[in-house]
Amino acid sequence: MDHEAMLYEKQDGSLTQCFLCAHNCLIKPGKYGFCEMRQNISGDLITYAYGEVIARDIDPIEKKTMYHFLPATKTASIAAQGNNFKCTYCQSLESSLHGEHNGEIAGTPLTPEAVVRHAKRNGCKSITYTYTEPTIFFEYAFDIARMASRRNLKNIFVTNGYMTTPALDTIAPFLDACNVDLKSFRDDFYRKVCSAKLQPVLDSIAHMRKLGLWLEISTVIIPEQNDSEEEIKDIARFIAGISEDIPWHVNRFYPDYNAMDVQPTSLHALERAQQIGREAGLKYVYIGNALVASNTLCPNCNTLLIKREGDTVVENNIHNSSCPSCNHEIAGVWGQEIAVHQPVGSNATE
């Protein structure tokens, strides 16, 4: 449905200036912003990414690549259409990239109240805004998050980090955690592969930490594109410079979209990235999207704290947010410790 956008200003000549993401689009009457989901209608900025859900699931929170935030709990994952990147290796092509749509959006109408009820009925501890880019359905996410907070649900963005500081400041009172996809540490990569720029992502990561949001970072390691040892070191040093407690997920690339000729990431490259992260001082570096262990170990004494099999927690030894062996405090948002997951399947209730 159409809905007036937040974070814009009217300019002379019926232009609108959007301040939602770092593209900062100046939009002519009748035209769309870069995301193709916000349109200037007679000087008013209208979003079409409100109230139309294109994906909805009940997931283990680990599937959102959140390993230090309420482990072994369920999260309600939702998405509306749209993105502000146009990545050549996009793995959510149908929901992210599209042409001008004349206000017609595929999806199932769902009010913010219905999203919150869905999460509560299915025993979720959180709602995750994911699959596409939650910044683009910001108004919808904002209204859901406000209601969810009042119902003791946490809110999580899985994001490319291309939002503005005003956008983060606006939603921060109701947002609890973010997983940011830091795709590269080279501006030319962002420009060529994503049609974006690097610095706004780095600024968002730093600002999220300043706001007190729980933060985890993911990087898909793409052969011959962002996998040089120098670049991996740059990413690791940047994250460690903000906080050595930030978990970093180095994930395997699989070919998709316009990158079908690129080989999947080797396990050796992932293990080397993990080693580089640890050498930079990062306490928690995980290999993802590969058939290897992704357990959490105490950075002080190496005790096994959380054992995972895929997205399932099978053992959780953290006690009072600390290692049971040496009492070292383990960074994260643990809530009430839960030993193992309850099954998450297709029996979600409406």
Side-chain angles (χ1 to χ4, degrees):
M1 67 181 72
D2 59 340
H3 187 92
E4 186 175 7
M6 300 169 66
L7 298 165
Y8 81 96
E9 290 182 359
K10 298 182 179 183
Q11 305 290 346
D12 293 340
S14 296
L15 299 173
T16 58
Q17 179 85 58
C18 180
F19 299 108
L20 178 64
C21 85
H23 288 299
N24 287 311
C25 294
L26 185 63
I27 308 170
K28 296 179 180 179
K31 299 298 183 180
Y32 293 84
F34 184 87
C35 66
E36 300 178 5
M37 296 299 294
R38 297 162 83 83
Q39 186 180 21
N40 179 342
I41 302 293
S42 301
D44 293 324
L45 192 61
I46 301 299
T47 175
Y48 296 108
Y50 192 100
E52 301 282 347
V53 172
I54 61 169
R56 183 179 66 166
D57 290 296
I58 303 298
D59 293 313
I61 199 165
E62 286 76 15
K63 192 174 181 180
K64 307 296 100 179
T65 328
M66 299 296 292
Y67 279 9
H68 288 237
F69 190 88
L70 302 181
T73 64
K74 294 188 290 186
T75 189
S77 302
I78 65 162
Q81 191 166 357
N83 210 326
N84 53 357
F85 279 10
K86 296 184 178 180
C87 296
T88 57
Y89 58 88
C90 183
Q91 296 182 347
S92 55
L93 175 62
E94 291 183 0
S95 57
S96 296
L97 305 179
H98 51 88
E100 294 187 357
H101 42 70
N102 296 319
E104 296 296 326
I105 301 298
T108 301
L110 200 66
T111 65
E113 295 92 335
V115 174
V116 173
R117 286 198 304 269
H118 174 69
K120 295 294 288 187
R121 287 173 181 170
N122 284 283
C124 296
K125 300 297 184 183
S126 60
I127 297 174
T128 300
Y129 309 84
T130 181
Y131 304 127
T132 57
E133 174 49 48
T135 305
I136 303 308
F137 58 96
F138 184 86
E139 294 79 8
Y140 188 38
F142 180 82
D143 284 351
I144 296 168
R146 285 192 302 176
M147 295 179 187
S149 294
R150 292 196 293 266
R151 298 289 303 278
N152 296 317
L153 290 166
K154 302 298 185 182
N155 294 286
I156 303 163
F157 268 19
V158 178
T159 175
N160 59 30
Y162 213 60
M163 68 282 286
T164 61
T165 295
L168 276 173
D169 289 342
T170 298
I171 201 167
F174 314 106
L175 189 62
D176 300 282
C178 293
N179 183 296
V180 179
D181 184 8
L182 179 55
K183 299 175 183 292
S184 170
F185 211 74
R186 300 290 181 263
D187 190 64
D188 59 352
F189 177 99
Y190 268 88
R191 291 178 184 273
K192 179 181 178 181
V193 177
C194 309
S195 301
K197 294 180 286 187
L198 169 63
Q199 191 59 49
V201 181
L202 304 183
D203 292 344
S204 287
I205 289 171
H207 196 60
M208 288 172 186
R209 183 72 182 184
K210 180 180 178 182
L211 288 169
L213 305 178
W214 178 251
L215 179 62
E216 304 198 19
I217 294 175
S218 297
T219 302
V220 177
I221 307 299
I222 307 175
E224 299 184 5
Q225 294 197 38
N226 67 350
D227 64 339
S228 71
E229 188 154 316
E230 179 184 7
E231 182 167 358
I232 298 297
K233 287 181 178 178
D234 287 342
I235 296 173
R237 285 192 290 257
F238 167 75
I239 299 171
I242 295 176
S243 173
E244 295 177 351
D245 285 332
I246 296 173
W248 185 30
H249 304 266
V250 290
N251 297 329
R252 170 171 275 172
F253 168 82
Y254 285 101
D256 211 340
Y257 191 34
N258 287 334
M260 295 300 295
D261 57 338
V262 180
Q263 293 298 310
T265 320
S266 71
L267 182 57
H268 172 76
L270 296 171
E271 291 173 338
R272 179 57 182 148
Q274 184 180 52
Q275 180 183 358
I276 289 170
R278 290 171 174 168
E279 290 171 351
L282 294 175
K283 297 176 182 178
Y284 312 101
V285 187
Y286 300 99
I287 292 174
N289 210 19
L291 297 177
V292 297
S294 58
N295 300 326
T296 298
L297 306 178
C298 175
N300 185 55
C301 71
N302 214 40
T303 294
L304 175 65
L305 299 176
I306 299 179
K307 182 178 180 180
R308 301 178 183 87
E309 292 180 359
D311 296 322
T312 299
V313 171
V314 296
E315 186 177 337
N316 184 356
N317 298 313
I318 294 176
H319 180 66
N320 292 332
S321 302
S322 299
C323 172
S325 296
C326 69
N327 208 35
H328 182 81
E329 185 175 355
I330 307 303
V333 178
W334 306 111
Q336 295 179 342
E337 279 83 27
I338 299 171
V340 295
H341 265 307
Q342 297 299 314
V344 176
S346 58
N347 59 342
T349 60
E350 293 299 319

